[in-house]
Amino acid sequence: SATASASATASASCGRVVPPEDVVRVQVSVREGGGVQVLEGEGDAAGEGVLRSPLVLVVDESLASLPWECIPSLVEQPVARLPCAAYVDRCVAAADARGGSVASSDAYYLLNPSGDLQRTQAAFEERFARPPWEGVVGEPPAEEALRSALERKDLFVYCGHGDGSRFISADSLHRLPRCSVSVLMGCSSGALKRVGGLAPSGMALSCLNARSPAVVANLWDVTDGESDRFCRALMDSFERGGCLLTAVASARRACRLRYLTGAAAVCYGAPITVEPRGGAEA
């Protein structure tokens, strides 16, 4: 039977390099006909209540649509994913270039650019508009302004339809010398799709190729209400500061359908710390 594999490596701890003796490697095999088997592993056994260093899953194309981050042994843990090992050095270097952290106060937002997500706009407009955040509400941005913001800012938050690629092309992103940590709260914003015989691609990978340290996005379509709950919880975590991967794992619990819509949210990239914005809201 055909076998597809995914490897998981704890490579960094939100800006802190993990010593070699703390690295955990696990290989998982998924076979036709069902069934998941741990082929080999090193390190401590998984168990409830075990706090691990951040984990980076290198997930090949056959497994990329599955929410590995929500299996019982990982659901409460800080986990990121990458499509291949070639991205590991790129994302770690991008995180290191920012000192292992980003300032959540240095952000640009794109909120409801299509103008038809009124509930989402009402939920976040006042919060996002608090200085020093900058952004656009209720209308499409100028591509040059968006491109400049992605290069200058530490954080980019998108709340709209899809992955936002209609507002900035992959070619424009690739020309950036660096790119913000990005939160893409649209349907299937993190899905990777094959075009012809080319390797799967998507907005999340375009951001990583532009030297973004990390991208939070959805693997499949979600309702605006559930996406708003997740985003609100994530923004609450940003107010307090801490590991981005831990914030994503915690924000999934805010979704009413935790294993349907909550599991859609994943983080591509390397572990990185988000510095607090301050003035957390109730």
Side-chain angles (χ1 to χ4, degrees), residues 154-179:
D154 275 7
L155 179 67
F156 171 60
V157 180
Y158 171 75
C159 295
H161 293 297
D163 58 11
S165 58
R166 61 180 172 144
F167 303 113
I168 185 168
S169 67
D171 287 342
S172 292
L173 278 173
H174 291 174
R175 289 196 293 269
L176 294 178
R178 71 172 202 167
C179 184

PDB file of all heavy atoms in Angstrom, residues 154-179:
ATOM      1  N   ASP A 154       5.339  44.824  11.763  1.00  0.00           N
ATOM      2  CA  ASP A 154       5.635  43.531  12.375  1.00  0.00           C
ATOM      3  C   ASP A 154       4.484  42.545  12.221  1.00  0.00           C
ATOM      4  O   ASP A 154       4.702  41.332  12.150  1.00  0.00           O
ATOM      5  CB  ASP A 154       5.914  43.709  13.882  1.00  0.00           C
ATOM      6  CG  ASP A 154       7.358  44.066  14.169  1.00  0.00           C
ATOM      7  OD1 ASP A 154       8.116  44.306  13.209  1.00  0.00           O
ATOM      8  OD2 ASP A 154       7.733  44.138  15.351  1.00  0.00           O
ATOM      9  N   LEU A 155       3.241  43.071  12.175  1.00  0.00           N
ATOM     10  CA  LEU A 155       2.057  42.214  12.188  1.00  0.00           C
ATOM     11  C   LEU A 155       1.051  42.684  11.152  1.00  0.00           C
ATOM     12  O   LEU A 155       0.834  43.891  10.983  1.00  0.00           O
ATOM     13  CB  LEU A 155       1.422  42.243  13.588  1.00  0.00           C
ATOM     14  CG  LEU A 155       0.150  41.426  13.821  1.00  0.00           C
ATOM     15  CD1 LEU A 155       0.441  39.934  13.726  1.00  0.00           C
ATOM     16  CD2 LEU A 155      -0.440  41.757  15.204  1.00  0.00           C
ATOM     17  N   PHE A 156       0.428  41.732  10.442  1.00  0.00           N
ATOM     18  CA  PHE A 156      -0.635  42.027   9.484  1.00  0.00           C
ATOM     19  C   PHE A 156      -1.832  41.159   9.815  1.00  0.00           C
ATOM     20  O   PHE A 156      -1.713  39.944   9.982  1.00  0.00           O
ATOM     21  CB  PHE A 156      -0.167  41.734   8.059  1.00  0.00           C
ATOM     22  CG  PHE A 156      -1.260  41.807   7.021  1.00  0.00           C
ATOM     23  CD1 PHE A 156      -1.973  42.977   6.816  1.00  0.00           C
ATOM     24  CD2 PHE A 156      -1.584  40.702   6.246  1.00  0.00           C
ATOM     25  CE1 PHE A 156      -2.985  43.047   5.867  1.00  0.00           C
ATOM     26  CE2 PHE A 156      -2.582  40.759   5.293  1.00  0.00           C
ATOM     27  CZ  PHE A 156      -3.288  41.933   5.093  1.00  0.00           C
ATOM     28  N   VAL A 157      -3.020  41.789   9.952  1.00  0.00           N
ATOM     29  CA  VAL A 157      -4.253  41.072  10.270  1.00  0.00           C
ATOM     30  C   VAL A 157      -5.252  41.297   9.147  1.00  0.00           C
ATOM     31  O   VAL A 157      -5.610  42.444   8.831  1.00  0.00           O
ATOM     32  CB  VAL A 157      -4.848  41.535  11.614  1.00  0.00           C
ATOM     33  CG1 VAL A 157      -6.140  40.767  11.919  1.00  0.00           C
ATOM     34  CG2 VAL A 157      -3.845  41.349  12.749  1.00  0.00           C
ATOM     35  N   TYR A 158      -5.702  40.203   8.530  1.00  0.00           N
ATOM     36  CA  TYR A 158      -6.677  40.265   7.435  1.00  0.00           C
ATOM     37  C   TYR A 158      -7.965  39.581   7.862  1.00  0.00           C
ATOM     38  O   TYR A 158      -7.965  38.405   8.227  1.00  0.00           O
ATOM     39  CB  TYR A 158      -6.118  39.577   6.189  1.00  0.00           C
ATOM     40  CG  TYR A 158      -7.126  39.401   5.076  1.00  0.00           C
ATOM     41  CD1 TYR A 158      -7.517  40.485   4.306  1.00  0.00           C
ATOM     42  CD2 TYR A 158      -7.683  38.149   4.798  1.00  0.00           C
ATOM     43  CE1 TYR A 158      -8.444  40.335   3.280  1.00  0.00           C
ATOM     44  CE2 TYR A 158      -8.607  37.989   3.776  1.00  0.00           C
ATOM     45  CZ  TYR A 158      -8.983  39.084   3.023  1.00  0.00           C
ATOM     46  OH  TYR A 158      -9.909  38.936   2.017  1.00  0.00           O
ATOM     47  N   CYS A 159      -9.070  40.310   7.831  1.00  0.00           N
ATOM     48  CA  CYS A 159     -10.398  39.755   8.125  1.00  0.00           C
ATOM     49  C   CYS A 159     -11.291  40.034   6.927  1.00  0.00           C
ATOM     50  O   CYS A 159     -11.850  41.135   6.784  1.00  0.00           O
ATOM     51  CB  CYS A 159     -10.994  40.388   9.389  1.00  0.00           C
ATOM     52  SG  CYS A 159     -10.105  40.030  10.911  1.00  0.00           S
ATOM     53  N   GLY A 160     -11.398  39.050   6.065  1.00  0.00           N
ATOM     54  CA  GLY A 160     -12.189  39.213   4.850  1.00  0.00           C
ATOM     55  C   GLY A 160     -12.374  37.869   4.181  1.00  0.00           C
ATOM     56  O   GLY A 160     -12.095  36.824   4.764  1.00  0.00           O
ATOM     57  N   HIS A 161     -12.854  37.892   2.938  1.00  0.00           N
ATOM     58  CA  HIS A 161     -13.084  36.650   2.205  1.00  0.00           C
ATOM     59  C   HIS A 161     -11.772  36.093   1.664  1.00  0.00           C
ATOM     60  O   HIS A 161     -10.889  36.841   1.218  1.00  0.00           O
ATOM     61  CB  HIS A 161     -14.042  36.889   1.042  1.00  0.00           C
ATOM     62  CG  HIS A 161     -15.441  37.242   1.468  1.00  0.00           C
ATOM     63  ND1 HIS A 161     -16.232  36.370   2.185  1.00  0.00           N
ATOM     64  CD2 HIS A 161     -16.182  38.371   1.268  1.00  0.00           C
ATOM     65  CE1 HIS A 161     -17.415  36.943   2.409  1.00  0.00           C
ATOM     66  NE2 HIS A 161     -17.405  38.160   1.870  1.00  0.00           N
ATOM     67  N   GLY A 162     -11.642  34.773   1.674  1.00  0.00           N
ATOM     68  CA  GLY A 162     -10.499  34.123   1.059  1.00  0.00           C
ATOM     69  C   GLY A 162      -9.186  34.454   1.746  1.00  0.00           C
ATOM     70  O   GLY A 162      -9.130  34.759   2.935  1.00  0.00           O
ATOM     71  N   ASP A 163      -8.113  34.417   0.950  1.00  0.00           N
ATOM     72  CA  ASP A 163      -6.775  34.594   1.511  1.00  0.00           C
ATOM     73  C   ASP A 163      -6.192  35.984   1.280  1.00  0.00           C
ATOM     74  O   ASP A 163      -5.044  36.255   1.652  1.00  0.00           O
ATOM     75  CB  ASP A 163      -5.813  33.538   0.952  1.00  0.00           C
ATOM     76  CG  ASP A 163      -5.727  33.573  -0.574  1.00  0.00           C
ATOM     77  OD1 ASP A 163      -6.247  34.531  -1.190  1.00  0.00           O
ATOM     78  OD2 ASP A 163      -5.141  32.630  -1.147  1.00  0.00           O
ATOM     79  N   GLY A 164      -6.965  36.865   0.644  1.00  0.00           N
ATOM     80  CA  GLY A 164      -6.484  38.223   0.405  1.00  0.00           C
ATOM     81  C   GLY A 164      -5.595  38.369  -0.812  1.00  0.00           C
ATOM     82  O   GLY A 164      -5.083  39.457  -1.088  1.00  0.00           O
ATOM     83  N   SER A 165      -5.427  37.288  -1.589  1.00  0.00           N
ATOM     84  CA  SER A 165      -4.505  37.339  -2.724  1.00  0.00           C
ATOM     85  C   SER A 165      -4.991  38.256  -3.837  1.00  0.00           C
ATOM     86  O   SER A 165      -4.194  38.676  -4.678  1.00  0.00           O
ATOM     87  CB  SER A 165      -4.274  35.932  -3.278  1.00  0.00           C
ATOM     88  OG  SER A 165      -5.500  35.333  -3.679  1.00  0.00           O
ATOM     89  N   ARG A 166      -6.273  38.588  -3.860  1.00  0.00           N
ATOM     90  CA  ARG A 166      -6.741  39.486  -4.921  1.00  0.00           C
ATOM     91  C   ARG A 166      -6.312  40.928  -4.668  1.00  0.00           C
ATOM     92  O   ARG A 166      -6.438  41.788  -5.548  1.00  0.00           O
ATOM     93  CB  ARG A 166      -8.257  39.409  -5.073  1.00  0.00           C
ATOM     94  CG  ARG A 166      -9.055  39.800  -3.849  1.00  0.00           C
ATOM     95  CD  ARG A 166     -10.535  39.668  -4.135  1.00  0.00           C
ATOM     96  NE  ARG A 166     -11.349  39.841  -2.948  1.00  0.00           N
ATOM     97  CZ  ARG A 166     -12.523  40.433  -2.950  1.00  0.00           C
ATOM     98  NH1 ARG A 166     -13.010  40.899  -4.082  1.00  0.00           N
ATOM     99  NH2 ARG A 166     -13.227  40.536  -1.851  1.00  0.00           N
ATOM    100  N   PHE A 167      -5.807  41.202  -3.460  1.00  0.00           N
ATOM    101  CA  PHE A 167      -5.368  42.566  -3.136  1.00  0.00           C
ATOM    102  C   PHE A 167      -3.866  42.749  -3.291  1.00  0.00           C
ATOM    103  O   PHE A 167      -3.381  43.880  -3.339  1.00  0.00           O
ATOM    104  CB  PHE A 167      -5.791  42.929  -1.708  1.00  0.00           C
ATOM    105  CG  PHE A 167      -7.263  42.803  -1.484  1.00  0.00           C
ATOM    106  CD1 PHE A 167      -7.773  41.834  -0.630  1.00  0.00           C
ATOM    107  CD2 PHE A 167      -8.156  43.633  -2.151  1.00  0.00           C
ATOM    108  CE1 PHE A 167      -9.134  41.703  -0.419  1.00  0.00           C
ATOM    109  CE2 PHE A 167      -9.521  43.508  -1.960  1.00  0.00           C
ATOM    110  CZ  PHE A 167     -10.019  42.537  -1.098  1.00  0.00           C
ATOM    111  N   ILE A 168      -3.122  41.648  -3.362  1.00  0.00           N
ATOM    112  CA  ILE A 168      -1.687  41.720  -3.608  1.00  0.00           C
ATOM    113  C   ILE A 168      -1.251  40.404  -4.238  1.00  0.00           C
ATOM    114  O   ILE A 168      -1.626  39.319  -3.767  1.00  0.00           O
ATOM    115  CB  ILE A 168      -0.894  42.008  -2.319  1.00  0.00           C
ATOM    116  CG1 ILE A 168       0.589  42.189  -2.634  1.00  0.00           C
ATOM    117  CG2 ILE A 168      -1.113  40.932  -1.269  1.00  0.00           C
ATOM    118  CD1 ILE A 168       1.407  42.762  -1.482  1.00  0.00           C
ATOM    119  N   SER A 169      -0.511  40.482  -5.298  1.00  0.00           N
ATOM    120  CA  SER A 169      -0.129  39.278  -6.034  1.00  0.00           C
ATOM    121  C   SER A 169       1.054  38.576  -5.376  1.00  0.00           C
ATOM    122  O   SER A 169       1.823  39.178  -4.616  1.00  0.00           O
ATOM    123  CB  SER A 169       0.245  39.641  -7.478  1.00  0.00           C
ATOM    124  OG  SER A 169       1.424  40.421  -7.500  1.00  0.00           O
ATOM    125  N   ALA A 170       1.200  37.289  -5.692  1.00  0.00           N
ATOM    126  CA  ALA A 170       2.337  36.532  -5.184  1.00  0.00           C
ATOM    127  C   ALA A 170       3.645  37.129  -5.682  1.00  0.00           C
ATOM    128  O   ALA A 170       4.641  37.168  -4.940  1.00  0.00           O
ATOM    129  CB  ALA A 170       2.219  35.068  -5.613  1.00  0.00           C
ATOM    130  N   ASP A 171       3.667  37.624  -6.916  1.00  0.00           N
ATOM    131  CA  ASP A 171       4.881  38.241  -7.458  1.00  0.00           C
ATOM    132  C   ASP A 171       5.282  39.468  -6.654  1.00  0.00           C
ATOM    133  O   ASP A 171       6.471  39.684  -6.382  1.00  0.00           O
ATOM    134  CB  ASP A 171       4.673  38.628  -8.923  1.00  0.00           C
ATOM    135  CG  ASP A 171       4.655  37.429  -9.847  1.00  0.00           C
ATOM    136  OD1 ASP A 171       5.129  36.352  -9.421  1.00  0.00           O
ATOM    137  OD2 ASP A 171       4.160  37.565 -10.985  1.00  0.00           O
ATOM    138  N   SER A 172       4.293  40.277  -6.275  1.00  0.00           N
ATOM    139  CA  SER A 172       4.587  41.457  -5.457  1.00  0.00           C
ATOM    140  C   SER A 172       5.144  41.058  -4.099  1.00  0.00           C
ATOM    141  O   SER A 172       6.080  41.678  -3.580  1.00  0.00           O
ATOM    142  CB  SER A 172       3.330  42.308  -5.271  1.00  0.00           C
ATOM    143  OG  SER A 172       2.932  42.909  -6.482  1.00  0.00           O
ATOM    144  N   LEU A 173       4.562  40.012  -3.514  1.00  0.00           N
ATOM    145  CA  LEU A 173       5.063  39.532  -2.233  1.00  0.00           C
ATOM    146  C   LEU A 173       6.496  39.038  -2.342  1.00  0.00           C
ATOM    147  O   LEU A 173       7.335  39.325  -1.477  1.00  0.00           O
ATOM    148  CB  LEU A 173       4.163  38.412  -1.706  1.00  0.00           C
ATOM    149  CG  LEU A 173       2.878  38.811  -0.986  1.00  0.00           C
ATOM    150  CD1 LEU A 173       2.042  37.580  -0.679  1.00  0.00           C
ATOM    151  CD2 LEU A 173       3.180  39.572   0.297  1.00  0.00           C
ATOM    152  N   HIS A 174       6.789  38.293  -3.384  1.00  0.00           N
ATOM    153  CA  HIS A 174       8.125  37.712  -3.537  1.00  0.00           C
ATOM    154  C   HIS A 174       9.210  38.767  -3.664  1.00  0.00           C
ATOM    155  O   HIS A 174      10.381  38.499  -3.368  1.00  0.00           O
ATOM    156  CB  HIS A 174       8.157  36.786  -4.753  1.00  0.00           C
ATOM    157  CG  HIS A 174       7.345  35.545  -4.570  1.00  0.00           C
ATOM    158  ND1 HIS A 174       7.139  34.629  -5.578  1.00  0.00           N
ATOM    159  CD2 HIS A 174       6.684  35.060  -3.480  1.00  0.00           C
ATOM    160  CE1 HIS A 174       6.382  33.642  -5.126  1.00  0.00           C
ATOM    161  NE2 HIS A 174       6.092  33.897  -3.868  1.00  0.00           N
ATOM    162  N   ARG A 175       8.842  39.968  -4.094  1.00  0.00           N
ATOM    163  CA  ARG A 175       9.834  41.038  -4.246  1.00  0.00           C
ATOM    164  C   ARG A 175      10.122  41.769  -2.938  1.00  0.00           C
ATOM    165  O   ARG A 175      11.032  42.602  -2.881  1.00  0.00           O
ATOM    166  CB  ARG A 175       9.365  42.036  -5.307  1.00  0.00           C
ATOM    167  CG  ARG A 175       9.410  41.471  -6.727  1.00  0.00           C
ATOM    168  CD  ARG A 175       9.313  42.587  -7.757  1.00  0.00           C
ATOM    169  NE  ARG A 175       8.011  43.243  -7.723  1.00  0.00           N
ATOM    170  CZ  ARG A 175       6.968  42.867  -8.463  1.00  0.00           C
ATOM    171  NH1 ARG A 175       7.078  41.830  -9.280  1.00  0.00           N
ATOM    172  NH2 ARG A 175       5.829  43.522  -8.396  1.00  0.00           N
ATOM    173  N   LEU A 176       9.359  41.458  -1.893  1.00  0.00           N
ATOM    174  CA  LEU A 176       9.587  42.124  -0.609  1.00  0.00           C
ATOM    175  C   LEU A 176      10.871  41.613   0.040  1.00  0.00           C
ATOM    176  O   LEU A 176      11.159  40.422   0.014  1.00  0.00           O
ATOM    177  CB  LEU A 176       8.413  41.872   0.338  1.00  0.00           C
ATOM    178  CG  LEU A 176       7.056  42.464  -0.028  1.00  0.00           C
ATOM    179  CD1 LEU A 176       6.012  42.061   1.013  1.00  0.00           C
ATOM    180  CD2 LEU A 176       7.136  43.980  -0.127  1.00  0.00           C
ATOM    181  N   PRO A 177      11.651  42.503   0.675  1.00  0.00           N
ATOM    182  CA  PRO A 177      12.838  42.048   1.406  1.00  0.00           C
ATOM    183  C   PRO A 177      12.475  41.339   2.707  1.00  0.00           C
ATOM    184  O   PRO A 177      13.274  40.568   3.244  1.00  0.00           O
ATOM    185  CB  PRO A 177      13.600  43.347   1.678  1.00  0.00           C
ATOM    186  CG  PRO A 177      12.553  44.414   1.663  1.00  0.00           C
ATOM    187  CD  PRO A 177      11.534  43.976   0.650  1.00  0.00           C
ATOM    188  N   ARG A 178      11.279  41.619   3.228  1.00  0.00           N
ATOM    189  CA  ARG A 178      10.773  40.927   4.403  1.00  0.00           C
ATOM    190  C   ARG A 178       9.257  41.106   4.435  1.00  0.00           C
ATOM    191  O   ARG A 178       8.709  41.948   3.713  1.00  0.00           O
ATOM    192  CB  ARG A 178      11.400  41.438   5.690  1.00  0.00           C
ATOM    193  CG  ARG A 178      10.967  42.829   6.108  1.00  0.00           C
ATOM    194  CD  ARG A 178      11.487  43.160   7.496  1.00  0.00           C
ATOM    195  NE  ARG A 178      10.707  44.218   8.124  1.00  0.00           N
ATOM    196  CZ  ARG A 178      10.776  44.537   9.406  1.00  0.00           C
ATOM    197  NH1 ARG A 178      11.602  43.879  10.192  1.00  0.00           N
ATOM    198  NH2 ARG A 178      10.034  45.499   9.919  1.00  0.00           N
ATOM    199  N   CYS A 179       8.591  40.321   5.286  1.00  0.00           N
ATOM    200  CA  CYS A 179       7.120  40.377   5.343  1.00  0.00           C
ATOM    201  C   CYS A 179       6.662  40.207   6.789  1.00  0.00           C
ATOM    202  O   CYS A 179       7.297  39.497   7.581  1.00  0.00           O
ATOM    203  CB  CYS A 179       6.524  39.278   4.461  1.00  0.00           C
ATOM    204  SG  CYS A 179       4.716  39.280   4.340  1.00  0.00           S
TER     205      CYS A 179
END
